[in-house]
Amino acid sequence: MKNPVQQYLEEIVEACAGTSGAVADYIPELAEADPDRFALCLATVDGRVYTVGDAEARFSIQSISKPFTYALALQDSGKEAVAEKVGVEPSGDAFNEISLAPDSGRPFNPMINAGAITTTSLLAGEDGDERFARALEGFGRFAGRELDVDEAIYDSELSTAHRNRAIAHMLREFSILEGDPEDVLAQYVRQCSISVDTQDLALMAATLANGGVQPRTGEEVLDAQLVEHVLSVMTTCGMYDAAGDWVTAVGMPAKSGVSGGIIGVLPGQVGIAVFSPRLDSHGNSARGVTLFERMSHDMELHIMHVSRGSRSALRASFPLSQARSRRRRTTAEQEALDRVSDRCRVYELHGDLLFSGAESVVRSIVDDDPELAVLDFTHVNEIATVSRQTLIALRDRLRECGAEAVVVDPGEVIPDPDAGTDRATRRFPDVTSALAWAEDELIRRHCGDLTTSDPVGEHPLMSGLSDHASEVVRAALESREHADGEIVLEAGGDFSGVHLIIDGRAVACAEAPDGSRMNLVTMEPGTSFGELALGTEDVQETEIRADGDLSLLVLSADSIERITEDDPAVGLEMWRAMARDGYRVADKALRRGATRLA
Amino acid sequence: MKNPVQQYLEEIVEACAGTSGAVADYIPELAEADPDRFALCLATVDGRVYTVGDAEARFSIQSISKPFTYALALQDSGKEAVAEKVGVEPSGDAFNEISLAPDSGRPFNPMINAGAITTTSLLAGEDGDERFARALEGFGRFAGRELDVDEAIYDSELSTAHRNRAIAHMLREFSILEGDPEDVLAQYVRQCSISVDTQDLALMAATLANGGVQPRTGEEVLDAQLVEHVLSVMTTCGMYDAAGDWVTAVGMPAKSGVSGGIIGVLPGQVGIAVFSPRLDSHGNSARGVTLFERMSHDMELHIMHVSRGSRSALRASFPLSQARSRRRRTTAEQEALDRVSDRCRVYELHGDLLFSGAESVVRSIVDDDPELAVLDFTHVNEIATVSRQTLIALRDRLRECGAEAVVVDPGEVIPDPDAGTDRATRRFPDVTSALAWAEDELIRRHCGDLTTSDPVGEHPLMSGLSDHASEVVRAALESREHADGEIVLEAGGDFSGVHLIIDGRAVACAEAPDGSRMNLVTMEPGTSFGELALGTEDVQETEIRADGDLSLLVLSADSIERITEDDPAVGLEMWRAMARDGYRVADKALRRGATRLA
């Protein structure tokens, strides 16, 4: 089945295949480019690459080197040192204007030639050769492969670089460049001659889209903070004197080159590259600009496009009464929880907790004013610093009111500054265990001592029996002990009777669809296990293990058969009680499923 | 409990309360402003407003009027007509530079005075008075309340507006302005004198953040496309000659005014306004700039901040075997579904389906290649045009392969271009009904005729009985008919027996936590209802209705008691069968809950 995204990209490339514009001719080698070459490549932040047209045709990177040189200069020399030598203000000038601030000689920004020549000199290295090696290796990290130089382009370009030579010497005059300007110029021209194809550029752009992490190699090529900085400058200065038009019409940080390439970055989503050598009057690829305008419009890629999704990070919120742990409770506990369980609320968060998302979560919790708040971060990808701080502040406020917030955070997205101290936030690996804690805590806070004095007599299977039947059944109970971790019932075994927990806990485990083992239920004194096998053709489906030392009273399968045969009247009472118990468990389970699905 | 967001905002206002900068003095009235006033206001896109400091202090809007005048001009005169008169390119010049393109006299952009005076003339109205009335009413819609003019400021400003008067006449000279430039100038100065407080500005900004919809009134004040355009121009030109610094350091579309206000817009999240009359050398509020830099950094509000949340729109995807409808199936159907249910997959989408989100969904489906795909849009907020088109294309590709995609779309976020034709996409109001359809479809496609020939004999309650017991029970069954919609069992009634469905369907309904009625289960021939009441102290908890004409065979509560008393051996068999049935239903329900929670 053909991927519809691929199909769409092929269609728009066809729709934009006009023939306006002319190939750059100020450098003899560039004038020889095939004017009809046309390629589009789109790389997602998880490394999927879509290509259309001549995506493997090589060309020199030219001015698209500028944002990457700037990025490497920021990394090698630091933001402050770079800011001393080159500004970040749009100049409104064409790409080859000298554009230096009148007093300091500081180039307006790193996307015009003067600024780019300056940043070239700020890469790590003792001389032009070393700094060039740094650029070549750095660009390769962005692209995810080793790159090389088109020497013919380099020779051709260096011999005709009169204007750039003038700029370099002017920069030297103002001491913006230090050392030999010819050395920097040669390095600059060599950088512009690095050979790439459209896919390389798309992946370089996708690395910026991905916060500086190369989508395929996974390498952190650039610090995320510097990525923001580079993208900002590309937004205001990337398209020369057409920057304002570009921002309004396309709305994506971008950079074009005179060989016919344009890259665009949609933060968090994709990197896009187009290659078509025919240029418009601003020196940008004519078909490239058309294609970007079309894609931005169709695909709603404009950075100012208002996405309503960011409004709420709260996927759902509900009282404990609608969730309940899968811990089996005694009737007394269950009744107690029915009274107080609305005092605990669960908040399911999702997506990225940016400021506005965290704000809406905090507002909900402040409004609900729960006694226990379970914050479920399972589906949260990333959490902004301010969100983290705000949520910690919320936890502290809740504590001041005698309330408590706990987190479910299997991915450890929200580190706790108080970890290891007695102020640490209680953390749970899954919602079920958090709910079990919350139930225990509510019972502890509000329901006094619910320890059952007669776990056998209060069990639903026994409580409905006549005195005589109860006596017969009690007499048949066998006492058993299991040590922590012992398997009490094996999955796949035969029905072996009803197991009443007198002391300790047992857990039921099963294999998850992905093959892993998961704990389904934790069972406490007063509850029972084993009887569900009656519903599955006498096969015990789950494995039961002791969770700590475990004391049981067992009404074995043999005893059940014996009573049924020897004393049919008691047998009938017993089976009737089991039927009621079966439907009771069924009703509870169905009801829980229904509530949570609603 | 104090909201921690409020607390945070109070803290940063305190931290930024320096005293550098001086109040504007070029207009006598402005020089009288209290230099120590300081207010911060933050408005979310759903209308929650946080304020700190002198949030109700009034001041004249000054240059913060510019983006809103531009917005109204775009709406009144259209993008093209406005573009003829004023550009969108950053000029790199200060706010009061004349900055006209040398040939055409066209101002570079609408955020400098020359451009703003021009857009003022492009509002709807015959003369300055009418156009001013339009501006006042329009600004009021953004703020969500009626605004008025500070006449003292207006008089003071008009009498000293020498430079703006020069600009207006120069614009008239180039025919950028038509008619009397004094009329436009008076209107412009009046607009700048509109009186606002910090909360008004925050809500005006939040209206832009909210795609043009005023968060509190819900009015669509500006078309979403024009919002993108206005925000783009604010990004590149909003902060005068400090625009580049602002974009790199703050990274938010913004506008400042000489009276000390600054607004910032974070698309999709919040509008922010600061008021502090002391200005820096660029004419921007000194404490305002510091506060915005601090907030942008702390709160990660930079528009280029890469959010990983946009990576995937796919919340979960699983085969039908892990979901299953709540339709009760006969044993034969259940066995058939166990074989084929992996051919159907459910895709739960969430958030905004921007391009990259839709791409990841499409890629998953192409890779899985399911025979039936259920796309659940319940948690999708918004869907980009390209995503809609891509998903329709995917549906068509699936059809070509004999497969089918259906949607669950209660909020109708994805309209179907083929609605009403035989190519229409099948739509369901909830996942359960989609799953029921998918199960039926898989059975129809792969499992031949599964109609049960003996719905009574195949029921689990009967199939385990001895011949004698089966005969006794069958003899006790009573035939009943119900018309469509009839209530068969009332919620709250006593246990009234086991109801076997012979023909037609029945639905179980219950009250949802929010008071609405919801369908819990649909039951088909071969299944039964009523017996769950045995698990809830003989109380029927759900209401059962006929869904179409319904034929039943009922083993009444009286018959069950009679058999139990008259023929204890048969009674014992019957209760034993019910116990097994109870645990069978319990096991299934618990298992489903466990799988879906895993």
Side-chain angles (χ1 to χ4, degrees), chain A residues 50 210 311 359 561 576, chain B residues 50 210 311 359 561 576:
Chain A
Y50 295 87
N210 197 31
R311 282 190 190 182
E359 188 275 331
E561 284 315 306
R576 194 168 177 146
Chain B
Y50 294 88
N210 196 30
R311 281 190 191 181
E359 188 275 332
E561 285 314 310
R576 192 167 178 148

Side-chain angles (χ1 to χ4, degrees), chain A residues 246-289:
Chain A
W246 179 270
V247 173
T248 51
V250 179
M252 212 185 292
K255 190 70 202 80
S256 69
V258 77
S259 48
I262 304 181
I263 60 167
V265 176
L266 190 67
Q269 299 199 59
V270 291
I272 303 177
V274 177
F275 168 56
S276 164
R278 295 179 191 271
L279 307 183
D280 66 16
S281 61
H282 297 286
N284 297 322
S285 168
R287 293 193 290 201
V289 170

Side-chain angles (χ1 to χ4, degrees), chain B residues 187-421:
Chain B
Q187 180 202 342
Y188 173 73
V189 174
R190 235 174 135 74
Q191 274 162 212
C192 290
S193 307
I194 289 175
S195 178
V196 291
D197 63 24
T198 314
Q199 171 162 329
D200 292 327
L201 290 183
L203 282 164
M204 293 173 84
T207 302
L208 293 175
N210 196 30
V213 176
Q214 217 279 351
R216 291 193 156 177
T217 66
E219 187 187 359
E220 192 187 318
V221 180
L222 190 66
D223 181 80
Q225 265 235 315
L226 297 180
V227 171
E228 284 179 20
H229 192 87
V230 171
L231 292 177
S232 299
V233 177
M234 287 169 72
T235 303
T236 49
C237 316
M239 297 301 279
Y240 310 126
D241 46 341
D245 273 335
W246 179 269
V247 173
T248 49
V250 180
M252 214 186 291
K255 190 72 201 81
S256 69
V258 77
S259 48
I262 304 181
I263 61 167
V265 177
L266 191 68
Q269 299 199 59
V270 290
I272 303 177
V274 177
F275 169 57
S276 165
R278 294 179 191 272
L279 307 182
D280 65 17
S281 62
H282 297 285
N284 297 323
S285 167
R287 292 194 289 200
V289 170
T290 310
L291 200 52
F292 265 101
E293 285 178 358
R294 171 73 186 268
M295 282 189 287
S296 172
H297 176 264
D298 283 6
M299 297 160 78
E300 296 173 14
L301 301 181
H302 199 291
I303 48 167
M304 293 299 157
H305 184 71
V306 171
S307 134
R308 278 193 285 257
S310 41
R311 281 190 191 181
S312 178
L314 199 56
R315 184 162 110 177
S317 127
F318 43 84
L320 179 60
S321 55
Q322 283 178 39
R324 291 291 167 81
S325 76
R326 274 168 292 154
R327 183 165 291 183
R328 253 178 243 168
R329 298 283 174 189
T330 62
T331 310
E333 286 176 340
Q334 199 54 65
E335 281 169 2
L337 282 174
D338 286 344
R339 274 189 297 114
V340 297
S341 62
D342 281 353
R343 299 187 189 199
C344 170
R345 284 188 76 85
V346 180
Y347 298 88
E348 283 185 7
L349 318 184
H350 72 136
D352 277 10
L353 276 191
L354 302 185
F355 167 72
S356 68
E359 188 275 332
S360 69
V361 171
V362 162
R363 200 198 312 170
S364 275
I365 298 179
V366 167
D367 289 350
D368 292 341
D369 202 10
E371 186 174 333
L372 303 179
V374 175
L375 276 72
D376 178 6
F377 287 85
T378 308
H379 298 279
V380 170
N381 299 311
E382 201 190 356
I383 179 161
T385 311
V386 66
S387 305
R388 212 156 58 214
Q389 289 163 345
T390 308
L391 289 166
I392 296 292
L394 175 75
R395 179 202 68 182
D396 293 344
R397 286 289 136 63
L398 284 167
R399 281 181 182 168
E400 286 162 17
C401 310
E404 185 71 47
V406 303
V407 301
V408 176
D409 185 16
E412 303 193 359
V413 295
I414 180 161
D416 183 1
D418 300 317
T421 74

Side-chain angles (χ1 to χ4, degrees), chain A residues 367-551:
Chain A
D367 290 350
D368 292 341
D369 201 11
E371 186 174 334
L372 302 180
V374 176
L375 276 72
D376 178 6
F377 287 85
T378 308
H379 298 279
V380 170
N381 299 310
E382 201 190 356
I383 181 162
T385 312
V386 68
S387 306
R388 211 155 59 215
Q389 289 164 343
T390 309
L391 289 167
I392 296 291
L394 175 75
R395 179 201 70 183
D396 293 344
R397 287 288 135 64
L398 284 167
R399 282 182 181 167
E400 286 162 16
C401 310
E404 185 71 47
V406 303
V407 301
V408 176
D409 184 17
E412 302 193 359
V413 296
I414 180 161
D416 183 2
D418 300 317
T421 74
D422 59 358
R423 297 186 51 74
T425 308
R426 225 176 262 273
R427 311 176 74 81
F428 297 92
D430 52 55
V431 177
T432 311
S433 51
L435 295 181
W437 171 84
E439 289 176 0
D440 286 347
E441 180 69 8
L442 284 179
I443 290 172
R444 189 184 67 75
R445 286 178 174 218
H446 299 288
C447 307
D449 185 11
L450 293 178
T451 316
T452 174
S453 53
D454 178 12
V456 176
E458 287 173 14
H459 191 280
L461 275 180
M462 304 294 285
S463 59
L465 300 182
S466 67
D467 288 350
H468 170 63
S470 178
E471 227 166 86
V472 172
V473 172
R474 274 177 190 263
L477 294 174
E478 299 157 35
S479 184
R480 291 202 202 140
E481 304 289 328
H482 293 275
D484 180 29
E486 233 176 77
I487 296 179
V488 182
L489 297 179
E490 274 183 35
D494 287 343
F495 168 64
S496 61
V498 179
H499 299 63
L500 297 165
I501 302 179
I502 302 305
D503 199 31
R505 283 179 182 170
V507 291
C509 328
E511 214 169 282
D514 65 359
S516 69
R517 171 170 305 270
M518 53 185 189
N519 281 358
L520 298 178
V521 198
T522 303
M523 292 162 293
E524 311 221 320
T527 68
S528 62
F529 58 86
E531 61 274 23
L532 273 183
L534 289 170
T536 49
E537 316 214 328
D538 285 357
V539 176
Q540 173 67 32
E541 296 274 358
T542 55
E543 177 183 284
I544 310 286
R545 278 175 185 270
D547 180 23
D549 289 343
L550 179 67
S551 302

